[in-house]
Amino acid sequence: LRVRSRWTRTAQKMVIQSQFLHSATASAPSVQVYNSMSKQKEPLQIPVNRPLSWYQCGPTVYDHSHLGHGICYVRFDLIRRCLEQLGVPLLQAQGVTDIDDKIIARAAAEKRPWLELAREMEDSFWADMAQLNVLPPHFIMRVSESIPDIVKYIQRIEDQGHAQTTAQGVVFDVDAFGVKRYGKLHMTGKADSNWNFALWKNSASDDVGFDSPLGYGRPGWHIECSAMASKLFGKHLDLHTGGMDLKFPHHTNEIAQCESAEDVESWCDCFLHSGHLTLNNVKMSKSLGNTVSIKDFVQQHDPNVLRLLAMTSRYRQPLQLKDAMVSAADHLNRKLRRFAMLELVAPHAQLKTNVQADQALLDELYQASRGISSAISDDFNLPVVLDLLLSLISQFYQHQEAHGQSPALLQVHRFVLEWLSGLGYQLPSVQSTQSCESEVVLEALTDFRSQVRTVARVTQEREAKDALFQACDSVRDALEKHGITLTDSKHGSSWQRH
């Protein structure tokens, strides 16, 4: 994953571009997206003769990642996979902030080198992304490896007359840049000198820093992404993504820096922002102490569950994490796993075609295919995509029960699995057959126990009522000893491994 030299980055870029060049010359598909720049839905500007350039803000690696990070990166992974399914060639770069006050403070408290801590937490981040099946970016840009480029970028802003040198370092001069130009992405209040922000922060001689023509210090947060993105993509960027909380000031300041350094009126065509993951209507944040780590979550749930949660909501919307939603996603994941593990390998001589029924099923498949393409082209409407796939699964079972296996049935099964896999859902391996079969038994047992509890609640005779509830409790306690937790609610019962 690590791109450690300029030669490696350049060579990798040339190889990837040569691979994409032929496919990129085809006519680009039309995809409507909500552009945070224009604050409206409009066509994504897809280049014709080159890959789409995409920069994504990455983590500040001072601690393990939490579910708020996870849902953000899974959502943008889904968008990337959608674009690739539509045949859009792209190059995605992601920044990593591996030098920061929080990293330095924690490393000092633990009496260890700051870069050692940063590398450990970065490795942890990429391990989490791999578990969630998030595709790695084509380029990884680290701040610690980009200091010379960042310094040169600040000097270009100085050359434009848009920077001031102060006792604390170098700051971006919003007034000199132009208050009317600043804040085109997002603005709170009137832009003036109070909006000036750090480009380079002076460090004490005994503090972490880098020698440079700007003095001994380290870069401000916003300049990092501007310099690293422009190093790869130059004066123009097609797409920039990140969490909703980065819209201001981070992305707003990025735009101002790049338009200044590159001397352009418009640097990036489109910004997409992901809604927050919230607990009790409060954004999940390390600083608020209300986080659930990705590692803890996947200890209790299949990594697919977080992807399914992401697919049940639009990427721009906040997602409220509730136990009932997680249980529903767990249940849906087990349903999809069972469908994926169906044994449909029958000799073709045994397949029977019912012309009328099979034609109707294939018509539904065709309509679903068109509906999925339309939904993806409508600002990546994945809840609709998921509903269409689930509808096909229901029709699959109905057709199988009424008519048995047929070539049309196999087509539906393959279509659904190809789309699930294409969207990053991790299909069970052959080795998962036994586990999947046990899940079928657990699901049936849980449903039966839930029905018994329903009967017990309406039973008038006290002795019979108590006996039924006691039997249900015995089943729960027995499963608990084998690592299975049953949870009862007004909506029914669910199970999970622990």
Side-chain angles (χ1 to χ4, degrees), residues 29 61 121 137 202 259 272 327 362 435 437 441 449 461 488:
V61 286
M121 291 299 103
N202 292 338
E259 290 184 356
L272 302 183
S327 295
L362 292 175
S435 173
E437 290 174 349
V441 174
R449 179 178 171 278
E461 185 181 346
D488 300 314

Side-chain angles (χ1 to χ4, degrees), residues 271-291:
F271 275 81
L272 302 183
H273 289 100
S274 169
H276 295 142
L277 184 68
T278 62
L279 284 173
N280 300 318
N281 295 315
V282 178
K283 174 198 167 189
M284 186 175 288
S285 169
K286 291 177 185 175
S287 60
L288 297 176
N290 65 341
T291 63

Side-chain angles (χ1 to χ4, degrees), residues 329-348:
D330 267 321
H331 179 79
L332 175 57
N333 182 49
R334 291 193 290 271
K335 176 180 179 179
L336 294 176
R337 281 171 55 83
R338 289 197 300 273
F339 179 77
M341 294 302 297
L342 288 174
E343 295 185 10
L344 299 177
V345 183
H348 280 71

Side-chain angles (χ1 to χ4, degrees), residues 37 57 172 174 177 181-188 191 194-199 220-226 240 243-258 267 271 273 276 283:
M37 286 285 285
C57 288
F172 189 89
V174 172
F177 175 72
R181 291 180 64 188
Y182 179 77
K184 62 173 62 176
L185 176 65
H186 186 76
M187 197 64 229
T188 55
N194 292 325
W195 292 107
N196 292 354
F197 53 90
L199 298 173
W221 175 34
H222 313 301
I223 193 65
E224 300 166 355
C225 288
S226 291
H240 198 315
M244 195 70 72
D245 56 325
L246 298 182
K247 186 183 293 186
F248 184 87
H250 185 54
H251 289 165
T252 297
N253 291 346
E254 267 191 79
I255 294 169
Q257 293 167 152
C258 289
W267 167 61
F271 275 81
H273 289 100
H276 295 142
K283 174 198 167 189

